[in-house]
Amino acid sequence: MTTGIVITAAGRGERFIQAGGIGNKLNALLQGKTVFEHTLQQALSSGLPVQVVTRPENLLVQQVCAADQVPCILLASGGLGESIAAGVAATANWDGWLIHLADMPFVSPQIFVQVAAALSQHSIVRPSFQQQPGHPVGFTALLRKQLCALRGDNGARELLRSHGQVHLIPVYQPAIVQDIDLPSQLVANESMN
């Protein structure tokens, strides 16, 4: 069975720009690398296959993918749902997908492996930290058709609600709920190291 990671990197990062950030937040520097580079390295270190979905104009993300030989779909996405659908459709040979947000650079490789392993027993799996559901969200092939039909900006929220039974894995890593939305978060994380 092949379970892989779909990294959704096709958002516009409007909150980041409105808060004074310059350019796409995925290309912002964090501890000497871009936010996207950190996210991609964590995913690749899991040993699972990776597929990236990004915007046609985000040349930096495309260059990073090319350097690491990671397949990359270009999509002028109108929302997270479309990005997920494109990533899943491009990897139709996989048996499971871990949907991960490109602005979550702190999720460890072990979390990806844990979520992927739990998909052998459950059709939807999510890590949780202190009762808060996080990322990546894992789906089995049973949900391929619904994932490929997603549209809009809610991602897979409706699918999660309608499916009902989501298996949560309690983890002690706040990283699974920690994303980069604002320039101030880059600075805060720089001072942590």
Side-chain angles (χ1 to χ4, degrees):
M1 277 191 40
T2 301
T3 296
I5 302 166
V6 172
I7 299 179
T8 59
R12 288 189 285 268
E14 288 163 350
R15 278 182 28 202
F16 181 80
I17 293 165
Q18 287 165 358
I22 297 165
N24 191 306
K25 67 180 174 181
L26 301 180
N27 302 332
L29 286 180
L30 172 69
Q31 299 162 5
K33 293 184 195 166
T34 66
V35 169
F36 177 74
E37 283 177 288
H38 283 286
T39 303
L40 183 62
Q41 286 312 313
Q42 297 278 45
L44 289 172
S45 294
S46 71
L48 298 168
V50 176
Q51 170 72 58
V52 172
V53 180
T54 196
R55 300 189 76 74
E57 67 271 18
N58 198 332
L59 301 179
L60 197 52
V61 164
Q62 294 169 47
Q63 288 166 3
V64 171
C65 289
D68 284 310
Q69 298 181 319
V70 172
C72 186
I73 298 167
L74 304 183
L75 178 71
S77 177
L80 183 57
E82 287 172 36
S83 298
I84 294 170
V88 171
T91 54
N93 57 321
W94 291 0
D95 303 295
W97 299 268
L98 306 187
I99 306 300
H100 192 58
L101 308 177
D103 66 354
M104 297 188 76
F106 309 110
V107 175
S108 72
Q110 294 78 15
I111 295 290
F112 291 109
V113 171
Q114 245 184 310
V115 173
L119 283 176
S120 64
Q121 312 255 324
H122 307 277
S123 54
I124 302 179
V125 178
R126 227 176 158 167
S128 70
F129 173 72
Q130 296 178 347
Q131 317 283 299
Q132 217 180 334
H135 282 85
V137 184
F139 298 91
T140 64
L142 294 172
L143 295 157
R144 178 187 289 120
K145 197 172 175 183
Q146 291 99 310
L147 289 167
C148 287
L150 291 175
R151 295 291 173 266
D153 206 27
N154 279 334
R157 261 187 230 147
E158 291 305 314
L159 183 55
L160 291 170
R161 266 192 222 117
S162 66
H163 194 269
Q165 192 52 46
V166 176
H167 178 72
L168 294 176
I169 303 171
V171 298
Y172 300 97
Q173 293 186 29
I176 64 151
V177 294
Q178 189 178 6
D179 62 359
I180 301 286
D181 271 338
L182 306 168
S184 57
Q185 292 169 306
L186 293 168
V187 177
N189 284 295
E190 283 291 353
S191 62
M192 284 170 53
N193 284 353

